[in-house]
């Protein structure tokens, strides 16, 4: 019979995990885990529920860093000011699943689950987020972009867990957006695109551009071909449209029930264009 | 087996569960809360929605041990001790929001969560978003949204 | 005996017109309170739990089933392989999700474990997955030697078409007038091919039955909308006397949309076999995947339509060719698709020359089954799409063209002697259009957005039309507490028939609807209703029987009150359950029970009809298409529906709104995808059902009353007839918006985008 452990502090969470390692499974909100258990895909001997660990909970905003604890729920993120200041986060959370799943599902659970279609990942990639990983040996950090290293695979040793995610949220001169396509409202993304840009003071040209995509391959990815094509370039619609056509260079979508690879490539181009334009509009630089 | 105790519809309860069990099963099978429904097996349909410490969750996606030490409210306990219906229940009745009624317990629990969240505009589009995790097959949702809209307007 | 003075009565005066008003649903309180108990909520103490070994092959012979590893598990009470089930089961599986073996155990987990322990060997057989291929002489045979299991064709037929040689479930043909000449006389002849999707009802409460043998009588506790037909079919299948099958309704019926009209081969006969073997009640519930693949979907159907019209838009001839996929088992309804698609064009339009050929073929696909306006929904999608194409070819306005050819009251259809009764189709069009125009929106000005609108007319008969006469019985019982219990064959699956019955009783007797209970016939009742709540017949025929009984009850109460109050019966008026004389003396109806009644007064009512009234609708849709993504958004929908007479307008709106939801899914979203019979999306994560977000922003219902002479208060069916026009109205709007005709729904964003972008390239 499975054992259920409920550590209340970081130390015991790390220790339990170290003791049980491969026979253990972390429980956060349980939204994805419940389905894996039901489908018989997992049958852990020990479940370690970290949702009561204070150190893993909540959002801290320092002068230049924003730190989101692993068991922070979508709902908590949604109602936190950072969702308005970093709009791509707010946009993303707004279109994830439904009210109930957002109430229980956590950011750490999502990142650990590593599904390439998760909506929260592209915004975090655009924020150059780093994942804070803990174990009895202490903490290490990995850029999110490297953390997801294959289809539903994360760079976690058996005695490691995700404790939080950190990014630079200080720069108020960035604008951002998340654009999602799904078959029905609240459904998983056919394609999801986050964009985050900074422009010259007159808003005429891009100085920094970050674009990331979900549901376009084994992992969510940054679209550097689009980014490179825009830096230093004017923010007008035509330039953006041209650059967006590069989106397919960085992605490798599959044919599946949500759509063909061809269609997803097309959607990626379209959503990149739309997302960047919306972001530009948010800078006030309407063309 | 893991022992869990929680407040269920105003009553303190204790039981032993296999921790892999979803809360829904415990509520239905252990405590006879058949007002909590069961349907899709994939987290989509929302018929099993209950409140955990006042927030709507899908009880098929919540592992039973998560209820330990907390408060669970089902449709059967929504109106509390009184014989009256909760105003959202009443509005569903008044607005003809029920047909077969299978989705209704979960739907009402989500609607109450939305209405008790403090910040709502009561606009139809917003209500529709709030309810999109609850599937109804009979009504086309129109009269359900009517009911929630009516409560939203009457409370504000 | 207490006597009230009339003016002293505390009257919340019962409205004179209970029928016709929005009486709150009598079952709503239980439902909002969470007290309603459905079939799957029932778990009697001594019940055993069934689990079934389902086939993952689409066609195979069962060579060997070793049940001993399953029987060795503690708690397993019984294990049976398909060949050892009762009745007509044989040793073949014919579709993914068909039944191989079954277990009954003390708990559901034990039963599941036991099923996984069964060892078995299947020899795969060649399979056929397309109805057109199935009828070809070279196709694999789905039912070689056991056509009985199929309960196939319900009528005799001979097939002259030499292409149709095999796997025939049913066949219909019809020729009216001289089609060849009709086509010759035409100025325009247009042909089109259309297909319709395998849509699942997606009832939230999955199928669940509790089977129990009481001596030689099988008692099934579950929602089955048609008790009579289900009894006959189950008995026929199990090879027992129909009298020996009883159906007990759970306290609340689960939704159906046709999904629970009739028995399913994978449910009742399996549970019955296990229960017989162990002599204990056995509960069999399907999980969600099984609900998709082991019950039935709407029949996937292929249409070829050809229409000839004159330059000014008069239809001279039409030809309809239909091939429908019965799947592995017909569930007794393969022929209904054919009959409905044969008759529907003639019910709606004046077509002097008409030819029809339809074949229903067995395949190794998930079975087709009853689903809200079976056959009519498929045909109406094809026909109304086609007529838009015809109108366009001739340069005619879509509405004017339809109006020119519509039938009207009194019109004698060429294939039947019976003139059309009530017919509000023209009113539906007129009022629907007016409402639709009121809801018109301003243009967006966004070049990425294109908009269009569509209209479709449709019809579906009230009563199943399966027999030449339909009839029903009802019993009303007045008890000493002043309540009336109505026993009928109706099953309220959410459509509101119990409330309608209460309204009728209240309306006729003056007893408040809040004091009317509605119950299904019990398993011991002498009375019956052979069809139950299917085919939108409940209000029409059961309602009529209730009305008959209610009038009898009212007369009886008048007579008794007259003698008690010493006035003439004519002078008595019953209001709020109190019978009063003109001079103000009153007596509560329950005090009119006499010692000879026992504790209750029982009256009987019945009704029959040889008519098959047709309910018409004209629906309008406005859609918006995002040309860059292909996304289609239904902005506005107006359902203008002829209901005969609206007994409860709010409940009718509910029926129309629900039909809109199912029609949007048919048009744009939902299909059980099969790849050579193997399901690709048999779960609610992958199979899209729509949320309130996909419903139109503006939904409007126009209720047209054409007063059907043969129906109670002029009423006729609404639930099923409101379904057929929905999808074609949307598809016609989509064609209007994009300039491209989509003929194979559901049309997802990718299909729209791909089509529009390939056009650009041209
Ligand atoms: C019906 C439904 C619809 C959904 N729709 C969407 C959608 O539209 N968009 C979207 O982006 N997502 C969607 N999701 C997925 C949702 O975002 C995730 O289920 C959720 O965020 C996971 O968080 P959790 O806390 O519930 O994780 P859990 O389910 O608790 O855990 C998920 C996995 O991660 C592991 N894990 C959890 N936390 C940690 C940790 N801190 N360290 C190491 N490992 C850990 C667990 O062991 C498990 O394997 C949907 C889910 C459901 C059920």
């Amino acid at each position: 019979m499975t054992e259920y452990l409920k550590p209340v502090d970081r130390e015991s969470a790390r220790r339990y995990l170290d003791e049980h390692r491969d026979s253990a499974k972390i429980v956060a909100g349980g939204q994805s885990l419940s389905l894996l258990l039901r489908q018989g895909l997992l049958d852990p001997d020990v479940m370690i529920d970290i949702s009561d660990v204070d150190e893993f909970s909540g959002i801290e905003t320092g002068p230049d860093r924003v730190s989101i604890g692993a068991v922070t729920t979508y709902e908590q993120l949604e109602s936190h000011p950072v969702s308005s200041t970093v709009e791509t986060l707010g946009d993303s959370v707004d279109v994830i699943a439904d009210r109930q799943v957002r109430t229980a599902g956590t950011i750490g659970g999502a990142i650990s689950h590593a599904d390439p279609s998760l909506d929260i990942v592209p915004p975090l990639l655009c924020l150059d987020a780093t994942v804070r990983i803990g174990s009895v040996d202490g903490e290490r950090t990995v850029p999110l972009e490297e953390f997801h290293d294959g289809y539903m695979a994360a760079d976690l040793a058996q005695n490691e867990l995700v404790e939080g995610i950190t990014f630079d949220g200080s720069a108020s001169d960035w604008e951002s957006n998340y654009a999602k396509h799904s078959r029905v409202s609240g459904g998983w993304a056919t394609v999801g695109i986050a964009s985050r840009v900074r422009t010259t003071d007159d808003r005429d040209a891009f100085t920094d551009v970050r674009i990331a995509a979900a549901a376009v391959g084994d992992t969510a990815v940054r679209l550097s071909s689009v980014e490179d094509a825009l830096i230093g370039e004017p923010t007008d619609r035509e330039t953006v449209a041209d650059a967006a056509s590069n989106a397919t260079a960085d992605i490798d979508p599959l044919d599946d029930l949500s759509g063909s690879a061809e269609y997803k490539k097309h959607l990626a181009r379209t959503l990149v264009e739309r997302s960047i334009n919306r972001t530009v509009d948010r800078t006030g630089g309407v063309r | 087996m893991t022992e869990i105790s929680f407040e269920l519809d105003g009553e303190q309860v204790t039981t032993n569960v296999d921790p892999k069990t979803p809360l829904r099963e415990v509520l239905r099978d252990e405590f006879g809360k058949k007002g909590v429904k069961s349907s899709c097996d994939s987290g989509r349909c929302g018929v099993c929605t209950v409140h955990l410490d006042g927030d709507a969750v899908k009880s098929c996606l919540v592992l039973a041990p998560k209820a330990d030490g907390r408060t669970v409210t089902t449709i059967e306990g929504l109106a509390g001790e009184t014989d009256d219906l909760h105003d959202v229940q009443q509005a569903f009745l008044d607005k003809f929001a029920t047909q077969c009624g299978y989705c209704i317990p979960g739907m009402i629990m989500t609607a109450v969560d939305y209405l008790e969240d403090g910040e709502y505009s009561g606009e139809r589009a917003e209500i529709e978003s709030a309810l999109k995790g609850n599937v109804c097959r009979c009504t086309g949702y129109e009269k359900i949204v009517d009911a929630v809209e009516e409560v939203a307007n009457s409370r504000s | 005996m207490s006597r009230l003075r009339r003016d002293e009565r505390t009257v919340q005066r019962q409205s004179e017109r209970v029928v016709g008003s929005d009486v709150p649903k009598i079952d709503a309180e239980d439902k909002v309170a969470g007290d309603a108990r459905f079939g799957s909520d029932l778990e009697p103490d001594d019940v055993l739990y069934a689990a079934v070994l389902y086939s993952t092959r689409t066609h195979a012979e069962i060579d060997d089933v070793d049940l001993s590893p399953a029987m060795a598990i503690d708690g397993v009470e019984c294990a049976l392989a398909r060949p050892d089930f009762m009745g007509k089961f044989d040793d073949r599986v014919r579709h993914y999700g068909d039944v191989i073996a079954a277990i009954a155990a003390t708990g559901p987990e034990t039963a599941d474990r036991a099923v996984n322990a069964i060892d078995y060997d299947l020899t795969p057989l060649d399979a056929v997955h397309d109805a057109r291929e199935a009828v070809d002489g070279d196709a694999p045979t789905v039912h070689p030697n056991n056509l009985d299991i199929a309960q196939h064709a319900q009528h005799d037929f001979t097939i002259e078409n030499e292409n149709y040689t095999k796997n025939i479930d049913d066949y219909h043909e019809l020729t009216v007038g001289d089609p060849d000449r009709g086509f010759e006389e035409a100025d325009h002849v247009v042909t089109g091919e259309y297909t319709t999707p395998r849509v699942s009802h997606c009832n939230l409460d999955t199928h669940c039955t509790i089977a129990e043998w009481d001596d030689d009588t099988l008692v099934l506790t579950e929602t089955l909308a048609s008790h009579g037909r289900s009894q006959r079919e189950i008995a026929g299948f199990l090879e027992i006397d129909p009298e020996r099958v009883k159906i007990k309704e759970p306290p609340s019926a689960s939704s159906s949309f046709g999904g629970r009209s009739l028995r399913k081969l994978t449910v009742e006969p399996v549970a019955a076999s296990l229960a017989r073997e162990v002599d204990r009640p056995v509960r069999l519930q399907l999980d969600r995947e099984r609900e998709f693949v082991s019950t039935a979907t709407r029949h996937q159907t292929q249409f070829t339509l050809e229409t000839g019209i004159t330059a000014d838009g008069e239809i001279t001839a039409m030809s309809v060719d239909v091939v429908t996929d019965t799947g592995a088992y017909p569930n007794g309804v393969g022929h209904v698709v054919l009959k409905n698609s044969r008759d529907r064009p003639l019910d709606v339009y004046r077509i002097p020359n008409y030819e029809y050929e339809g074949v229903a073929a067995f395949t190794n696909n998930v079975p087709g089954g009853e689903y809200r306006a079976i056959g009519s929904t498929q045909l109406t999608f094809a026909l109304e799409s086609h007529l838009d194409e015809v109108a366009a070819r001739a340069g005619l306005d879509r509405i004017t063209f339809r109006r020119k050819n519509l039938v009207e009251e009194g019109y004698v259809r060429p294939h039947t002697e019976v003139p059309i009764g009530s017919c509000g189709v023209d009113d539906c069009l007129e009022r629907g259009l007016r409402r639709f125009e009121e809801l018109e929106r301003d243009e967006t000005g966004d070049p990425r957005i294109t908009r269009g609108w569509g209209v479709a007319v449709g019809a579906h008969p009230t009563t199943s039309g399966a027999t030449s006469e339909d009839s029903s019985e009802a019993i009303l019982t007045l008890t000493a507490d002043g309540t009336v219990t109505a026993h009928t064959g109706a099953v309220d699956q959410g459509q509101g028939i119990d409330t309608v019955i209460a309204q009728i009783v209240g309306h006729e007797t003056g007893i408040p609807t809040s004091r009317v209970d509605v119950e299904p016939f019990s398993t011991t009742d002498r009375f019956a209703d052979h069809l139950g709540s299917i085919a939108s017949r409940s209000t029409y025929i059961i309602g009529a029987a209730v009305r008959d009984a209610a009038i009898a009850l009212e007369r009886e109460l008048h007579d008794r009150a007259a003698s008690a109050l010493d006035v003439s019966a004519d002078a008595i008026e019953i209001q709020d359950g109190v019978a009063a004389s003109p001079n103000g003396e009153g007596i509560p109806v329950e005090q009119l029970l006499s010692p000879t009644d026992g504790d209750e007064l029982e009256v009987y009512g019945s009704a029959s009809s040889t008519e098959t009234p047709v309910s018409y609708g004209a629906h309008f849709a406005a859609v918006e298409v995002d040309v860059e993504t292909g996304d289609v958004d239904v902005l506005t929908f107006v359902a203008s529906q002829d209901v005969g007479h609206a007994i409860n307008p709010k409940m009718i709106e509910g029926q129309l709104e629900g039909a809109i939801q199912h029609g949007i899914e048919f048009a744009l979203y939902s299909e059980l995808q099969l790849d050579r019979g193997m399901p690709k999306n048999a779960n609610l994560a992958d199979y899209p059902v729509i949320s309130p977000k996909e419903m139109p922003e503006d939904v409007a219902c126009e209720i047209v009353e054409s007063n059907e002479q043969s129906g109670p208060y002029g009423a006729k069916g609404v639930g099923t007839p409101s379904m057929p026009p929905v999808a074609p109205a949307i598809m016609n709007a989509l064609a209007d918006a994009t300039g491209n005709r989509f003929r194979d729904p559901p049309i997802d964003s990718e299909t729209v985008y791909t089509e529009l972008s390939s056009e650009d390239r041209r």
Side-chain angles (χ1 to χ4, degrees), chain C residues 126-128 130 132-142 165-167:
Chain C
D126 286 344
V128 60
D130 179 84
R132 243 183 237 287
E133 288 170 21
V135 292
D136 186 272
D138 295 333
T141 309
V142 181
T165 55
K166 226 181 167 178
N167 292 317

Side-chain angles (χ1 to χ4, degrees), chain A residues 25-26 28-33 74 97 106 112 118-119 162 180 188, chain B residues 43:
Chain A
K25 204 69 202 155
I26 298 285
Q31 300 300 286
S32 287
L33 186 67
Y74 288 126
T106 69
S112 310
L118 287 160
D119 293 304
V162 171
K180 175 181 184 177
W188 285 89

Side-chain angles (χ1 to χ4, degrees), chain A residues 181-186 188 257-263 266-267 269-271 273-274 278, chain C residues 448 626 628-629 631 668-670 673 680-681 686 688-691 693-694 748-750 753:
Chain A
H181 184 275
S182 59
R183 185 109 167 75
V184 288
S185 178
W188 285 89
L257 285 171
S258 70
S260 70
E262 271 317 300
Y263 180 57
H266 164 74
L267 273 184
R269 286 189 293 261
T270 304
L271 294 188
E273 185 184 342
R274 287 187 181 183
R278 279 178 207 154
Chain C
R448 296 172 307 188
D626 181 330
E628 287 183 355
T629 60
D631 289 347
L668 301 175
Y669 293 98
S670 305
Q673 296 182 34
K680 296 204 286 185
N681 59 346
D686 294 323
V689 290
I690 66 172
S691 80
K693 281 286 177 200
E694 285 76 33
D748 63 10
S749 306
E750 177 167 357
Y753 165 73

Side-chain angles (χ1 to χ4, degrees), chain C residues 131-445:
Chain C
R132 243 183 237 287
E133 288 170 21
V135 292
D136 186 272
D138 295 333
T141 309
V142 181
H143 291 285
N145 43 24
N146 186 7
L147 259 179
D148 248 11
I149 196 174
Q151 299 183 329
H152 76 133
Q154 309 267 316
H155 78 297
D156 292 330
F157 54 83
T158 44
I159 302 178
E160 272 156 33
N161 188 332
E162 57 199 26
N163 294 321
Y164 296 168
T165 55
K166 226 181 167 178
N167 292 317
I168 311 288
D169 170 27
D170 201 6
Y171 178 82
H172 278 268
E173 62 177 340
L174 175 69
T175 305
V176 165
D178 184 345
D180 290 343
R181 241 190 62 207
F183 281 114
E184 270 164 34
E185 283 166 12
D187 295 310
H188 306 275
V189 175
V190 180
T191 308
E193 291 185 13
Y194 310 85
T195 64
T196 66
R198 253 178 213 100
V199 194
S200 168
H201 316 81
C202 287
N203 286 305
L204 289 176
D205 197 16
T206 60
H207 277 75
C208 182
T209 192
I210 297 174
E212 188 171 2
W213 288 87
D214 177 4
D215 283 336
D216 280 340
T217 299
L218 171 65
V219 183
L220 295 163
T221 306
E222 67 170 304
T223 301
L224 268 169
S226 183
H227 286 196
R229 263 195 71 179
S230 298
Q231 280 159 342
R232 274 206 313 281
E233 289 187 357
I234 292 166
F237 192 84
L238 297 178
E239 301 179 303
I240 59 176
D241 179 353
E243 297 280 300
R244 304 258 71 90
V245 178
K246 304 282 181 199
I247 291 155
K248 226 155 94 179
E249 282 295 320
S252 285
S254 312
S255 67
S256 171
F257 315 113
R260 286 188 160 87
S261 292
L262 303 170
R263 65 100 188 97
K264 299 288 175 290
L265 192 110
T266 50
V267 180
E268 295 82 6
V270 176
S273 297
L274 291 167
R276 171 109 263 188
E277 190 74 12
V278 281
D279 202 18
R280 273 175 71 177
V282 171
R283 177 184 188 278
L284 194 171
Q285 181 170 17
L286 302 189
D287 67 14
R288 182 51 60 184
E289 188 193 352
R290 246 37 77 177
E291 188 70 16
F292 276 106
V293 299
S294 302
T295 63
T297 67
R298 190 183 282 291
H299 293 82
Q300 200 261 357
T301 306
Q302 309 174 39
F303 291 91
T304 307
L305 268 57
E306 188 165 37
T307 301
I309 62 169
T310 61
D312 63 354
E314 213 164 290
I315 297 176
T316 59
M318 184 182 289
S319 134
V320 174
D321 181 83
V322 178
V323 179
T324 191
D325 184 355
T326 292
Y329 306 107
N331 292 307
V333 290
H335 64 291
V336 183
V337 177
L338 298 185
K339 272 185 41 189
N340 280 340
S341 56
R342 180 195 66 194
D343 293 350
R344 225 52 352 111
L346 301 168
D347 287 341
V348 183
Y349 297 104
R350 282 179 281 114
I351 306 167
N353 305 295
Y354 180 74
E355 65 189 350
Y356 175 92
E357 182 176 33
V359 66
F362 295 124
T363 65
N364 296 107
N365 290 330
V366 168
E370 184 84 69
Y371 186 165
R372 206 163 185 174
I374 176 174
S376 298
T377 298
Q378 288 98 318
L379 178 279
T380 304
F381 153 69
L383 177 63
E384 291 296 302
S385 299
H386 177 66
L387 291 182
D388 258 25
E389 296 188 75
V390 173
R393 178 75 63 83
L396 297 166
D397 172 71
R398 293 177 267 174
I399 294 180
T400 318
F401 166 59
R402 285 184 170 83
R403 278 190 136 155
K404 196 173 192 93
N405 292 285
L406 284 173
V407 299
E408 61 196 4
E409 190 170 326
Y411 169 78
V412 180
R413 285 159 285 188
H415 67 305
T416 150
E417 246 76 289
V418 191
I420 287 182
S422 61
C423 177
V425 64
D426 203 58
D427 281 353
C428 288
L429 265 173
E430 189 183 319
R431 281 181 46 192
L433 180 62
R434 208 183 314 139
R435 188 73 183 271
F436 187 62
E437 283 170 350
E438 283 166 19
L439 294 169
E440 200 173 301
R441 293 154 186 257
D442 298 335
E443 288 298 324
T444 58

